[in-house]
Amino acid sequence: RASAIAAAAARMLDALGCWEEIAPQAQAMTEMIVTDSRTSDPVRPVFLTFDGEVAPGEPFAHMVFNRDLNAALRRRAGELGVDLIEGVGVTGFDANAQEALVHLADGVSLRTRLLVAADGVRSRLRDMAGIGTVEWDYGQSGIVCTIGHERPHGGRAEEHFLPAGPFAILPLKPDDKDGNRSSIVWTERTEDADRLLAEDELVFEAELETRFGLKLGEIRVLDKPRAWPLGLMLARDFVRPRFALAGDAAHGIHPIAGQGLNLGFKDAAALAEIVVEADRLGEDIGAIDVLERYQQWRR
């Protein structure tokens, strides 16, 4: 899978010392067009477009493979002395006036002034904290895969609003093996998405071509398509004493604007700013009045 990294998130990654490693694998988005039509329409008129840079030489977004993003973040965490404990789940935690005690599945307990849960839209830590959610199932799934195509995309991203949902074509960095590439996020009703994935490759590619079009020449599927159910989720609270939610654990949204990961990066930046400022002033970084500043900012 690949993600759209907005300019603000790229600046954050640069401040963290990661972007220099990521940039050579990133594809700049230089233009975005949006259409609203049916698959049977012979022409898809463009009704919205934007292009250019947020600053000289700085595109409004980049497409980055998640594996490249994760590798750079993990390497930087190691350089900064961040301990990574892997393959061990959290079985529970207890918070008091001084600290939180986090219990791991291997019997080890960790003491901390602040526990941040960034464990995804189905966050177990959020459930352990007793925080409820507001949820909405769209009845849609997003089919994701990488497509090879004959002609270069020129850094253009496209989003076609079709009757079943948006169909996005997102430019990827070309490589020596597969040549010109794009990532697609193809929204369909869940039952139709399941049917498409169950069909043989020829049927899938024929349906894909109907939506993708032939403007980039012959297309081919480069990896196994997968589908994820789409829904809205908002935590009723983002914080508890000594506990904060960040990223998809706090909010899950439709991928229509590619903002999910970027919202998570902004959560991390805001929480870091709140924590650093509170520590500088001699405040308790896990106190609820400190954490409520983060909640008010991000909620």
Side-chain angles (χ1 to χ4, degrees), residues 17-74:
C18 297
W19 187 248
E20 187 175 349
E21 179 180 344
I22 296 167
Q25 285 80 44
Q27 170 63 51
M29 278 194 211
T30 56
E31 183 183 10
M32 177 83 182
I33 68 166
V34 180
T35 73
D36 189 359
S37 59
R38 295 168 301 202
T39 52
S40 59
D41 290 348
V43 177
R44 294 176 181 172
V46 173
F47 76 86
L48 180 64
T49 181
F50 54 93
D51 57 17
E53 303 165 332
V54 295
E58 185 179 9
F60 59 81
H62 288 80
M63 284 299 295
V64 177
F65 279 107
N66 290 1
R67 61 175 179 264
D68 296 327
L69 178 63
N70 290 341
L73 286 167
R74 289 170 69 89

Short mmCIF file of all heavy atoms in Angstrom, two decimals, residues 17-74:
data_model
loop_
_atom_site.label_atom_id
_atom_site.label_comp_id
_atom_site.label_asym_id
_atom_site.label_seq_id
_atom_site.Cartn_x
_atom_site.Cartn_y
_atom_site.Cartn_z
N GLY A 17 14.04 14.36 10.65
CA GLY A 17 15.24 13.80 10.06
C GLY A 17 15.00 12.57 9.23
O GLY A 17 15.92 11.76 9.03
N CYS A 18 13.76 12.40 8.71
CA CYS A 18 13.41 11.21 7.92
C CYS A 18 13.23 11.49 6.44
O CYS A 18 13.38 10.59 5.61
CB CYS A 18 12.09 10.60 8.43
SG CYS A 18 12.15 10.00 10.12
N TRP A 19 12.84 12.71 6.08
CA TRP A 19 12.41 12.97 4.72
C TRP A 19 13.52 12.80 3.70
O TRP A 19 13.28 12.35 2.57
CB TRP A 19 11.81 14.37 4.61
CG TRP A 19 11.18 14.63 3.27
CD1 TRP A 19 11.60 15.49 2.31
CD2 TRP A 19 10.04 13.96 2.72
NE1 TRP A 19 10.79 15.42 1.20
CE2 TRP A 19 9.82 14.49 1.43
CE3 TRP A 19 9.17 12.98 3.20
CZ2 TRP A 19 8.78 14.07 0.61
CZ3 TRP A 19 8.13 12.56 2.39
CH2 TRP A 19 7.94 13.10 1.12
N GLU A 20 14.75 13.10 4.07
CA GLU A 20 15.87 12.96 3.14
C GLU A 20 16.01 11.52 2.66
O GLU A 20 16.36 11.26 1.51
CB GLU A 20 17.17 13.43 3.81
CG GLU A 20 18.36 13.48 2.85
CD GLU A 20 19.60 14.06 3.50
OE1 GLU A 20 19.51 14.62 4.62
OE2 GLU A 20 20.68 13.96 2.88
N GLU A 21 15.71 10.56 3.54
CA GLU A 21 15.76 9.15 3.18
C GLU A 21 14.55 8.74 2.34
O GLU A 21 14.66 7.92 1.43
CB GLU A 21 15.82 8.29 4.45
CG GLU A 21 15.85 6.80 4.17
CD GLU A 21 15.90 5.99 5.46
OE1 GLU A 21 16.21 6.56 6.52
OE2 GLU A 21 15.62 4.77 5.38
N ILE A 22 13.39 9.33 2.63
CA ILE A 22 12.15 8.96 1.95
C ILE A 22 12.06 9.58 0.55
O ILE A 22 11.57 8.95 -0.40
CB ILE A 22 10.93 9.40 2.79
CG1 ILE A 22 10.91 8.65 4.13
CG2 ILE A 22 9.62 9.19 2.04
CD1 ILE A 22 9.93 9.23 5.14
N ALA A 23 12.52 10.81 0.42
CA ALA A 23 12.31 11.61 -0.80
C ALA A 23 12.70 10.90 -2.10
O ALA A 23 11.97 11.01 -3.10
CB ALA A 23 13.03 12.95 -0.68
N PRO A 24 13.83 10.18 -2.17
CA PRO A 24 14.19 9.55 -3.44
C PRO A 24 13.17 8.51 -3.92
O PRO A 24 13.09 8.25 -5.13
CB PRO A 24 15.54 8.88 -3.14
CG PRO A 24 16.11 9.66 -2.00
CD PRO A 24 14.92 10.05 -1.17
N GLN A 25 12.39 7.92 -3.00
CA GLN A 25 11.36 6.94 -3.38
C GLN A 25 9.97 7.57 -3.54
O GLN A 25 9.02 6.89 -3.91
CB GLN A 25 11.27 5.83 -2.32
CG GLN A 25 12.41 4.82 -2.35
CD GLN A 25 13.65 5.34 -1.66
OE1 GLN A 25 13.57 5.92 -0.59
NE2 GLN A 25 14.80 5.14 -2.28
N ALA A 26 9.85 8.87 -3.23
CA ALA A 26 8.55 9.54 -3.23
C ALA A 26 8.25 10.13 -4.62
O ALA A 26 9.15 10.63 -5.30
CB ALA A 26 8.52 10.64 -2.18
N GLN A 27 6.98 10.08 -5.00
CA GLN A 27 6.53 10.68 -6.25
C GLN A 27 5.77 11.96 -5.95
O GLN A 27 4.74 11.94 -5.25
CB GLN A 27 5.62 9.73 -7.03
CG GLN A 27 4.92 10.34 -8.23
CD GLN A 27 5.88 10.82 -9.30
OE1 GLN A 27 6.75 10.09 -9.75
NE2 GLN A 27 5.71 12.08 -9.73
N ALA A 28 6.26 13.08 -6.45
CA ALA A 28 5.59 14.35 -6.23
C ALA A 28 4.27 14.40 -7.00
O ALA A 28 4.21 13.97 -8.16
CB ALA A 28 6.48 15.51 -6.67
N MET A 29 3.23 14.89 -6.35
CA MET A 29 1.96 15.18 -7.03
C MET A 29 2.01 16.63 -7.48
O MET A 29 2.08 17.54 -6.66
CB MET A 29 0.78 14.99 -6.08
CG MET A 29 0.32 13.57 -5.91
SD MET A 29 -1.30 13.57 -5.11
CE MET A 29 -1.19 12.04 -4.21
N THR A 30 1.95 16.83 -8.78
CA THR A 30 2.04 18.18 -9.32
C THR A 30 0.70 18.72 -9.81
O THR A 30 0.57 19.90 -10.09
CB THR A 30 3.04 18.22 -10.48
OG1 THR A 30 2.64 17.26 -11.46
CG2 THR A 30 4.44 17.87 -9.99
N GLU A 31 -0.30 17.82 -9.90
CA GLU A 31 -1.61 18.24 -10.41
C GLU A 31 -2.67 17.27 -9.90
O GLU A 31 -2.40 16.08 -9.73
CB GLU A 31 -1.60 18.25 -11.93
CG GLU A 31 -2.90 18.74 -12.56
CD GLU A 31 -2.89 18.66 -14.08
OE1 GLU A 31 -1.95 18.05 -14.65
OE2 GLU A 31 -3.82 19.20 -14.70
N MET A 32 -3.87 17.78 -9.67
CA MET A 32 -5.00 16.95 -9.25
C MET A 32 -6.21 17.37 -10.05
O MET A 32 -6.51 18.56 -10.17
CB MET A 32 -5.28 17.15 -7.76
CG MET A 32 -6.48 16.38 -7.24
SD MET A 32 -6.03 14.69 -6.83
CE MET A 32 -7.61 14.04 -6.31
N ILE A 33 -6.89 16.39 -10.67
CA ILE A 33 -8.15 16.70 -11.35
C ILE A 33 -9.26 15.84 -10.78
O ILE A 33 -9.03 14.70 -10.36
CB ILE A 33 -8.05 16.52 -12.88
CG1 ILE A 33 -7.89 15.05 -13.25
CG2 ILE A 33 -6.93 17.36 -13.46
CD1 ILE A 33 -8.13 14.80 -14.73
N VAL A 34 -10.46 16.38 -10.76
CA VAL A 34 -11.63 15.69 -10.22
C VAL A 34 -12.73 15.73 -11.27
O VAL A 34 -13.00 16.78 -11.86
CB VAL A 34 -12.12 16.35 -8.92
CG1 VAL A 34 -13.34 15.62 -8.37
CG2 VAL A 34 -11.01 16.36 -7.87
N THR A 35 -13.37 14.58 -11.52
CA THR A 35 -14.50 14.52 -12.44
C THR A 35 -15.70 13.91 -11.73
O THR A 35 -15.56 13.25 -10.70
CB THR A 35 -14.18 13.67 -13.69
OG1 THR A 35 -14.17 12.28 -13.33
CG2 THR A 35 -12.85 14.06 -14.29
N ASP A 36 -16.87 14.12 -12.28
CA ASP A 36 -18.11 13.57 -11.74
C ASP A 36 -18.92 13.04 -12.92
O ASP A 36 -19.43 13.82 -13.71
CB ASP A 36 -18.88 14.66 -11.00
CG ASP A 36 -20.07 14.11 -10.21
OD1 ASP A 36 -20.28 12.89 -10.26
OD2 ASP A 36 -20.76 14.90 -9.57
N SER A 37 -19.00 11.72 -13.04
CA SER A 37 -19.63 11.16 -14.24
C SER A 37 -20.04 9.72 -13.99
O SER A 37 -19.91 9.21 -12.88
CB SER A 37 -18.64 11.23 -15.41
OG SER A 37 -17.46 10.52 -15.10
N ARG A 38 -20.51 9.07 -15.05
CA ARG A 38 -20.81 7.64 -15.01
C ARG A 38 -19.79 6.89 -15.85
O ARG A 38 -19.16 7.48 -16.74
CB ARG A 38 -22.23 7.39 -15.57
CG ARG A 38 -23.33 8.00 -14.73
CD ARG A 38 -24.65 7.99 -15.46
NE ARG A 38 -24.55 8.75 -16.72
CZ ARG A 38 -25.59 9.27 -17.36
NH1 ARG A 38 -26.81 9.11 -16.87
NH2 ARG A 38 -25.43 9.93 -18.49
N THR A 39 -19.65 5.60 -15.58
CA THR A 39 -18.67 4.83 -16.34
C THR A 39 -19.02 4.76 -17.82
O THR A 39 -18.15 4.60 -18.67
CB THR A 39 -18.56 3.39 -15.77
OG1 THR A 39 -19.87 2.82 -15.69
CG2 THR A 39 -17.93 3.39 -14.41
N SER A 40 -20.32 4.90 -18.13
CA SER A 40 -20.75 4.82 -19.53
C SER A 40 -20.56 6.13 -20.29
O SER A 40 -20.69 6.16 -21.51
CB SER A 40 -22.22 4.40 -19.59
OG SER A 40 -23.03 5.34 -18.89
N ASP A 41 -20.27 7.22 -19.60
CA ASP A 41 -20.11 8.51 -20.28
C ASP A 41 -18.87 8.49 -21.17
O ASP A 41 -17.79 8.11 -20.71
CB ASP A 41 -19.98 9.64 -19.26
CG ASP A 41 -21.28 9.89 -18.52
OD1 ASP A 41 -22.31 9.36 -18.95
OD2 ASP A 41 -21.26 10.61 -17.50
N PRO A 42 -18.99 8.91 -22.44
CA PRO A 42 -17.84 8.88 -23.34
C PRO A 42 -16.76 9.89 -22.95
O PRO A 42 -15.59 9.72 -23.25
CB PRO A 42 -18.45 9.21 -24.70
CG PRO A 42 -19.72 9.95 -24.39
CD PRO A 42 -20.22 9.39 -23.11
N VAL A 43 -17.17 10.97 -22.26
CA VAL A 43 -16.23 12.01 -21.84
C VAL A 43 -16.49 12.29 -20.36
O VAL A 43 -17.64 12.31 -19.91
CB VAL A 43 -16.41 13.30 -22.66
CG1 VAL A 43 -15.48 14.39 -22.15
CG2 VAL A 43 -16.16 13.03 -24.14
N ARG A 44 -15.41 12.51 -19.62
CA ARG A 44 -15.54 12.85 -18.19
C ARG A 44 -15.09 14.30 -18.00
O ARG A 44 -13.90 14.56 -17.83
CB ARG A 44 -14.70 11.91 -17.33
CG ARG A 44 -15.18 10.46 -17.37
CD ARG A 44 -14.26 9.55 -16.59
NE ARG A 44 -14.71 8.18 -16.64
CZ ARG A 44 -14.03 7.14 -16.17
NH1 ARG A 44 -12.84 7.35 -15.60
NH2 ARG A 44 -14.52 5.92 -16.25
N PRO A 45 -16.01 15.24 -18.04
CA PRO A 45 -15.61 16.65 -17.91
C PRO A 45 -14.97 16.92 -16.55
O PRO A 45 -15.43 16.43 -15.52
CB PRO A 45 -16.94 17.41 -18.04
CG PRO A 45 -17.89 16.43 -18.67
CD PRO A 45 -17.46 15.08 -18.22
N VAL A 46 -13.91 17.70 -16.57
CA VAL A 46 -13.22 18.08 -15.33
C VAL A 46 -13.97 19.24 -14.70
O VAL A 46 -14.22 20.26 -15.34
CB VAL A 46 -11.76 18.49 -15.63
CG1 VAL A 46 -11.10 19.04 -14.38
CG2 VAL A 46 -10.98 17.31 -16.18
N PHE A 47 -14.39 19.07 -13.42
CA PHE A 47 -15.07 20.19 -12.77
C PHE A 47 -14.27 20.79 -11.63
O PHE A 47 -14.67 21.80 -11.05
CB PHE A 47 -16.48 19.77 -12.29
CG PHE A 47 -16.52 18.93 -11.05
CD1 PHE A 47 -16.53 19.53 -9.80
CD2 PHE A 47 -16.61 17.55 -11.13
CE1 PHE A 47 -16.59 18.76 -8.65
CE2 PHE A 47 -16.67 16.78 -9.99
CZ PHE A 47 -16.66 17.37 -8.75
N LEU A 48 -13.14 20.19 -11.30
CA LEU A 48 -12.28 20.77 -10.26
C LEU A 48 -10.85 20.36 -10.55
O LEU A 48 -10.57 19.21 -10.88
CB LEU A 48 -12.70 20.26 -8.87
CG LEU A 48 -11.89 20.76 -7.67
CD1 LEU A 48 -12.06 22.27 -7.51
CD2 LEU A 48 -12.32 20.04 -6.40
N THR A 49 -9.94 21.31 -10.44
CA THR A 49 -8.52 21.00 -10.63
C THR A 49 -7.68 21.93 -9.77
O THR A 49 -8.08 23.05 -9.47
CB THR A 49 -8.12 21.15 -12.11
OG1 THR A 49 -6.73 20.81 -12.25
CG2 THR A 49 -8.34 22.57 -12.62
N PHE A 50 -6.57 21.41 -9.32
CA PHE A 50 -5.61 22.28 -8.66
C PHE A 50 -4.21 21.73 -8.92
O PHE A 50 -4.01 20.55 -9.12
CB PHE A 50 -5.87 22.45 -7.16
CG PHE A 50 -5.97 21.17 -6.38
CD1 PHE A 50 -4.86 20.63 -5.74
CD2 PHE A 50 -7.20 20.53 -6.24
CE1 PHE A 50 -4.96 19.46 -5.01
CE2 PHE A 50 -7.30 19.36 -5.49
CZ PHE A 50 -6.17 18.82 -4.88
N ASP A 51 -3.24 22.64 -8.95
CA ASP A 51 -1.87 22.23 -9.22
C ASP A 51 -0.93 23.25 -8.60
O ASP A 51 -1.37 24.16 -7.89
CB ASP A 51 -1.62 22.09 -10.73
CG ASP A 51 -1.90 23.37 -11.50
OD1 ASP A 51 -1.98 24.44 -10.88
OD2 ASP A 51 -2.05 23.29 -12.73
N GLY A 52 0.34 23.07 -8.87
CA GLY A 52 1.32 24.01 -8.36
C GLY A 52 1.98 23.54 -7.08
O GLY A 52 1.98 22.36 -6.74
N GLU A 53 2.54 24.50 -6.35
CA GLU A 53 3.34 24.20 -5.18
C GLU A 53 2.87 25.04 -4.00
O GLU A 53 2.36 26.15 -4.16
CB GLU A 53 4.82 24.50 -5.48
CG GLU A 53 5.35 23.73 -6.70
CD GLU A 53 6.67 24.28 -7.21
OE1 GLU A 53 6.92 25.49 -7.04
OE2 GLU A 53 7.44 23.50 -7.79
N VAL A 54 3.05 24.51 -2.78
CA VAL A 54 2.72 25.29 -1.58
C VAL A 54 3.81 26.31 -1.28
O VAL A 54 3.60 27.28 -0.57
CB VAL A 54 2.48 24.37 -0.37
CG1 VAL A 54 1.26 23.50 -0.60
CG2 VAL A 54 3.70 23.52 -0.07
N ALA A 55 5.01 26.05 -1.81
CA ALA A 55 6.15 26.97 -1.73
C ALA A 55 7.04 26.60 -2.90
O ALA A 55 6.92 25.51 -3.47
CB ALA A 55 6.89 26.82 -0.40
N PRO A 56 7.93 27.50 -3.34
CA PRO A 56 8.79 27.19 -4.49
C PRO A 56 9.52 25.86 -4.31
O PRO A 56 10.22 25.64 -3.32
CB PRO A 56 9.76 28.37 -4.52
CG PRO A 56 8.99 29.50 -3.92
CD PRO A 56 8.16 28.87 -2.84
N GLY A 57 9.32 24.96 -5.26
CA GLY A 57 9.97 23.66 -5.22
C GLY A 57 9.36 22.66 -4.26
O GLY A 57 9.92 21.59 -4.05
N GLU A 58 8.19 22.98 -3.68
CA GLU A 58 7.55 22.09 -2.69
C GLU A 58 6.16 21.72 -3.17
O GLU A 58 5.22 22.51 -3.06
CB GLU A 58 7.47 22.77 -1.32
CG GLU A 58 6.94 21.86 -0.24
CD GLU A 58 6.89 22.53 1.12
OE1 GLU A 58 7.10 23.76 1.21
OE2 GLU A 58 6.61 21.83 2.11
N PRO A 59 5.97 20.49 -3.71
CA PRO A 59 4.65 20.07 -4.18
C PRO A 59 3.65 19.97 -3.03
O PRO A 59 4.04 19.85 -1.86
CB PRO A 59 4.92 18.68 -4.77
CG PRO A 59 6.39 18.61 -4.98
CD PRO A 59 7.00 19.48 -3.94
N PHE A 60 2.36 20.00 -3.36
CA PHE A 60 1.33 19.95 -2.32
C PHE A 60 1.23 18.58 -1.67
O PHE A 60 0.69 18.44 -0.57
CB PHE A 60 -0.03 20.41 -2.84
CG PHE A 60 -0.59 19.61 -3.99
CD1 PHE A 60 -1.24 18.41 -3.77
CD2 PHE A 60 -0.47 20.07 -5.29
CE1 PHE A 60 -1.76 17.68 -4.83
CE2 PHE A 60 -0.99 19.35 -6.36
CZ PHE A 60 -1.64 18.14 -6.12
N ALA A 61 1.77 17.52 -2.32
CA ALA A 61 1.73 16.18 -1.73
C ALA A 61 2.70 15.27 -2.46
O ALA A 61 3.15 15.57 -3.58
CB ALA A 61 0.32 15.59 -1.78
N HIS A 62 3.04 14.16 -1.82
CA HIS A 62 3.85 13.10 -2.42
C HIS A 62 3.16 11.75 -2.17
O HIS A 62 2.50 11.57 -1.15
CB HIS A 62 5.25 13.02 -1.80
CG HIS A 62 6.16 14.14 -2.17
ND1 HIS A 62 6.11 15.39 -1.56
CD2 HIS A 62 7.17 14.21 -3.09
CE1 HIS A 62 7.05 16.17 -2.08
NE2 HIS A 62 7.70 15.48 -3.00
N MET A 63 3.33 10.82 -3.10
CA MET A 63 2.92 9.44 -2.87
C MET A 63 4.13 8.64 -2.41
O MET A 63 5.18 8.67 -3.06
CB MET A 63 2.33 8.83 -4.15
CG MET A 63 0.93 9.29 -4.47
SD MET A 63 -0.29 8.88 -3.20
CE MET A 63 -0.29 7.07 -3.28
N VAL A 64 3.96 7.92 -1.29
CA VAL A 64 5.06 7.18 -0.69
C VAL A 64 4.57 5.78 -0.35
O VAL A 64 3.49 5.62 0.25
CB VAL A 64 5.56 7.88 0.60
CG1 VAL A 64 6.65 7.06 1.27
CG2 VAL A 64 6.06 9.29 0.29
N PHE A 65 5.35 4.76 -0.71
CA PHE A 65 5.01 3.41 -0.28
C PHE A 65 5.16 3.31 1.24
O PHE A 65 6.14 3.80 1.80
CB PHE A 65 5.91 2.37 -0.97
CG PHE A 65 5.47 2.02 -2.36
CD1 PHE A 65 6.17 2.47 -3.46
CD2 PHE A 65 4.34 1.23 -2.56
CE1 PHE A 65 5.77 2.15 -4.75
CE2 PHE A 65 3.92 0.91 -3.85
CZ PHE A 65 4.63 1.37 -4.95
N ASN A 66 4.19 2.66 1.87
CA ASN A 66 4.22 2.55 3.34
C ASN A 66 5.49 1.86 3.83
O ASN A 66 6.01 2.19 4.90
CB ASN A 66 2.98 1.80 3.83
CG ASN A 66 1.71 2.61 3.67
OD1 ASN A 66 1.74 3.74 3.17
ND2 ASN A 66 0.58 2.04 4.05
N ARG A 67 5.99 0.89 3.06
CA ARG A 67 7.20 0.18 3.50
C ARG A 67 8.40 1.14 3.59
O ARG A 67 9.24 1.02 4.49
CB ARG A 67 7.51 -0.99 2.57
CG ARG A 67 7.78 -0.60 1.12
CD ARG A 67 8.20 -1.79 0.26
NE ARG A 67 8.44 -1.39 -1.12
CZ ARG A 67 7.55 -1.49 -2.09
NH1 ARG A 67 6.35 -1.99 -1.82
NH2 ARG A 67 7.84 -1.11 -3.32
N ASP A 68 8.49 2.10 2.66
CA ASP A 68 9.59 3.07 2.69
C ASP A 68 9.43 4.04 3.85
O ASP A 68 10.41 4.39 4.54
CB ASP A 68 9.66 3.84 1.37
CG ASP A 68 9.98 2.95 0.18
OD1 ASP A 68 10.73 1.98 0.37
OD2 ASP A 68 9.46 3.22 -0.92
N LEU A 69 8.19 4.47 4.09
CA LEU A 69 7.90 5.38 5.20
C LEU A 69 8.21 4.71 6.53
O LEU A 69 8.89 5.28 7.40
CB LEU A 69 6.43 5.80 5.13
CG LEU A 69 5.89 6.70 6.23
CD1 LEU A 69 6.61 8.05 6.21
CD2 LEU A 69 4.39 6.91 6.05
N ASN A 70 7.73 3.48 6.71
CA ASN A 70 7.94 2.76 7.97
C ASN A 70 9.42 2.50 8.22
O ASN A 70 9.91 2.65 9.35
CB ASN A 70 7.18 1.44 7.95
CG ASN A 70 5.68 1.63 8.03
OD1 ASN A 70 5.21 2.68 8.44
ND2 ASN A 70 4.92 0.62 7.63
N ALA A 71 10.16 2.11 7.16
CA ALA A 71 11.58 1.81 7.33
C ALA A 71 12.35 3.05 7.79
O ALA A 71 13.21 2.97 8.69
CB ALA A 71 12.16 1.28 6.01
N ALA A 72 12.04 4.20 7.20
CA ALA A 72 12.74 5.43 7.57
C ALA A 72 12.42 5.84 9.01
O ALA A 72 13.30 6.25 9.78
CB ALA A 72 12.36 6.56 6.61
N LEU A 73 11.14 5.72 9.40
CA LEU A 73 10.75 6.09 10.76
C LEU A 73 11.39 5.16 11.79
O LEU A 73 11.85 5.60 12.85
CB LEU A 73 9.23 6.05 10.90
CG LEU A 73 8.48 7.20 10.23
CD1 LEU A 73 6.99 6.89 10.14
CD2 LEU A 73 8.70 8.50 10.98
N ARG A 74 11.44 3.86 11.48
CA ARG A 74 12.05 2.91 12.42
C ARG A 74 13.55 3.17 12.57
O ARG A 74 14.08 3.13 13.68
CB ARG A 74 11.80 1.48 11.94
CG ARG A 74 10.35 1.04 12.07
CD ARG A 74 10.12 -0.29 11.37
NE ARG A 74 10.80 -1.37 12.07
CZ ARG A 74 10.25 -2.09 13.05
NH1 ARG A 74 9.02 -1.85 13.45
NH2 ARG A 74 10.93 -3.05 13.63
#
